[in-house]
């Protein structure tokens, strides 16, 4: 059965490469001037197998199962524009963020635009380059329809890509979104020279924030301890392959960061800062990242803001 992948960024391209080993794959993007070379500049060094269909025509691309590998802040617009053609299919979001306009995650965006679609989320610790090279990777497939979840799990697992399934869509998508915010904080701590002990504190206190916010939004706490939460948090806070971590490094070191790079945690931090007071949850690390990303807080004051908070129980 053909799988369609929407968005030929690094992640969509990597998924196309791995899935093409077991099923026909079509990869859709707006502009693909690189298509004749079969090498996407977003994923350098990876040649796309000849049997992957590269197309800018959505009608050619769309199959029953569609992986939406677009950044979170453009997903809502894409769904709204193409809702009629997407509705009724299996729509699997791969985006790791909270939409700033609606303060909701990808599954709610899909539900709003395509109410007859089967909604699922694919998330967890995985760098596109690792997936494309066939390195072993384990991800979470979240879907609240049990039989669709099993069928998607089978369809999207490959010898090197092992999917676990869960019915907790909210928990899975929030784990993937919120870890990006904490990764920016971890990068900023390292970039500012605060050291690995500070990073460990940020990972731990950041994880507590992820659980607090996600459970307030209806997630199951154990989901946050899984691949899509803790697993991805650890990966993203400890690897310079992560764009969120590297963005944090640049903030911490006072350096510029390459414009146009997808840094999901920057917008998601702002969404989280807007959600926190409505839900009555305290999220100091995420709030600080929002302040840094918006330029409201200077890096030299960031540490004082965290350390001068009242002492409390863990
Ligand atoms: N790169 C990675 O290692 C991983 C990325 N993800 C997630 O996948 C999502 C996509 O990330 P990447 O592929 O890495 O980003 P990317 O920056 O490599 O590519 C984004 C793609 O989206 C396209 N795009 C932007 N606006 C668009 C619009 N309005 N309509 C259609 N296409 C549009 C761009 O042309 C580009 O091809 C993000 O939410 C990210 O968090 C998840 C796991 C791993
Ligand atoms: O989500 C990812 C790894 O699981 C990719 O992280 P970045 O978006 O920070 O590069």
């Amino acid at each position: 059965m053909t799988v369609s992948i929407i968005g030929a960024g690094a992640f969509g391209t990597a998924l196309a490469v791995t899935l093409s080993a077991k099923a026909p794959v079509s990869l859709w993007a707006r502009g693909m001037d690189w298509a004749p070379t079969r090498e996407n500049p977003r994923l350098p060094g990876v040649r796309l197998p000849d049997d992957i269909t590269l197309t800018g025509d959505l009608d050619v691309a769309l199959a029953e199962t569609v992986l939406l590998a677009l950044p979170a802040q453009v997903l809502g617009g894409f769904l709204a524009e193409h809702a009629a053609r997407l509705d009724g299919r299996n729509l699997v979001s791969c985006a790791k963020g909270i939409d700033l306009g609606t303060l909701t995650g990808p599954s709610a965006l899909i539900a709003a635009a395509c109410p007859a679609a089967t909604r699922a989320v694919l998330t967890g610790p995985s760098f596109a380059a690792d997936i494309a090279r066939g390195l072993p990777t384990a991800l979470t497939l979240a879907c609240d329809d049990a039989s669709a979840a099993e069928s998607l799990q089978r369809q999207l697992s490959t010898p090197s890509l092992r999917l676990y399934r869960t019915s907790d869509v909210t928990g899975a998508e929030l784990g993937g979104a919120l870890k990006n915010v904490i990764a920016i904080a971890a990068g900023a701590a390292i970039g500012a020279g605060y050291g690995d002990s500070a990073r460990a504190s940020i990972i731990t206190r950041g994880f507590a924030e992820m659980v607090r916010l996600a459970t307030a939004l209806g997630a199951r706490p154990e989901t946050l301890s899984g691949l899509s939460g803790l697993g991805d948090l650890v990966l993203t806070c400890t690897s310079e392959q992560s764009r969120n971590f590297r963005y944090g490094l640049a903030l911490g070191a006072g350096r510029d960061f390459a414009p146009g790079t997808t840094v999901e945690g920057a917008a998601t931090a702002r969404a989280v800062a807007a959600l926190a007071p409505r839900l009555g949850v305290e999220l100091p690390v995420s709030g600080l990242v929002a302040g840094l990303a918006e330029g409201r807080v200077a890096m030299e004051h960031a540490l004082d803001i965290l350390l001068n908070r009242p002492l409390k129980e863990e």
Side-chain angles (χ1 to χ4, degrees):
M1 228 188 324
T2 305
V3 177
S4 319
I5 299 172
I6 300 299
F11 198 48
T13 306
L15 288 170
V17 171
T18 190
L19 289 170
S20 68
K22 70 178 278 195
V25 169
S26 58
L27 180 60
W28 176 92
R30 290 178 306 186
M32 270 200 274
D33 11 340
W34 53 267
T37 69
R38 307 295 291 184
E39 184 171 334
N40 185 346
R42 296 251 174 193
L43 197 59
V46 176
R47 193 180 184 285
L48 272 77
D50 291 335
D51 53 6
I52 297 175
T53 303
L54 302 176
T55 179
D57 181 340
L58 205 52
D59 289 321
V60 170
L62 285 182
E64 190 182 339
T65 295
V66 181
L67 304 191
L68 298 162
L70 295 170
Q73 303 309 322
V74 306
L75 180 61
F78 178 85
L79 288 165
E81 187 179 344
H82 303 290
R85 278 187 280 177
L86 293 166
D87 207 3
R89 302 175 195 266
N90 300 321
L91 300 183
V92 184
S93 168
C94 306
K96 293 180 177 173
I98 298 177
D99 176 58
L100 250 177
T102 58
L103 303 185
T104 61
S107 64
L109 296 177
I110 294 173
C114 302
T118 298
R119 280 165 290 145
V121 165
L122 182 62
T123 184
S126 59
F127 288 122
D130 294 349
I131 289 188
R133 287 166 61 208
L135 300 181
T137 314
L139 296 182
T140 301
L141 186 280
C143 179
D144 59 13
D145 172 331
S147 105
E150 281 189 39
S151 144
L152 286 169
Q153 181 185 30
R154 272 195 306 275
Q155 190 183 10
L156 302 176
S157 291
T158 72
S160 57
L161 182 65
R162 179 175 168 79
L163 302 194
Y164 290 80
R165 65 173 187 277
T166 176
S167 57
D168 185 5
V169 176
T170 303
E173 72 181 7
L174 283 172
L178 301 178
K179 65 86 190 175
N180 281 332
V181 178
I182 306 305
I184 294 176
I190 296 296
Y194 298 151
D196 287 334
S197 304
R199 166 165 45 191
S201 311
I202 285 171
I203 293 174
T204 313
R205 298 309 303 162
F207 178 65
E209 290 188 17
M210 289 167 59
V211 175
R212 231 177 280 146
L213 180 63
T215 51
L217 287 166
R220 297 200 292 266
E222 61 269 25
T223 309
L224 276 295
S225 300
L227 291 165
S228 60
L230 184 60
D232 212 354
L233 177 68
V234 170
L235 177 73
T236 316
C237 289
T238 59
S239 172
E240 288 197 27
Q241 277 196 73
S242 160
R243 296 161 297 190
N244 287 280
F245 182 75
R246 289 202 307 272
Y247 171 67
L249 277 179
L251 280 178
R255 289 194 313 260
D256 288 339
F257 189 70
T261 307
T262 300
V263 180
E264 291 282 30
T268 293
R270 295 169 59 204
V272 165
L275 278 170
R278 297 186 195 184
L279 296 165
V281 290
E282 230 192 314
L283 308 169
V285 177
S286 306
L288 193 57
V289 172
L292 289 169
E294 285 174 349
R296 279 186 287 109
V297 174
M299 191 59 210
E300 59 262 35
H301 299 132
L303 190 61
D304 285 346
I305 292 172
L306 284 185
L307 293 187
N308 290 336
R309 300 176 60 247
L311 296 173
K312 52 185 275 204
E313 280 191 24
E314 188 175 18

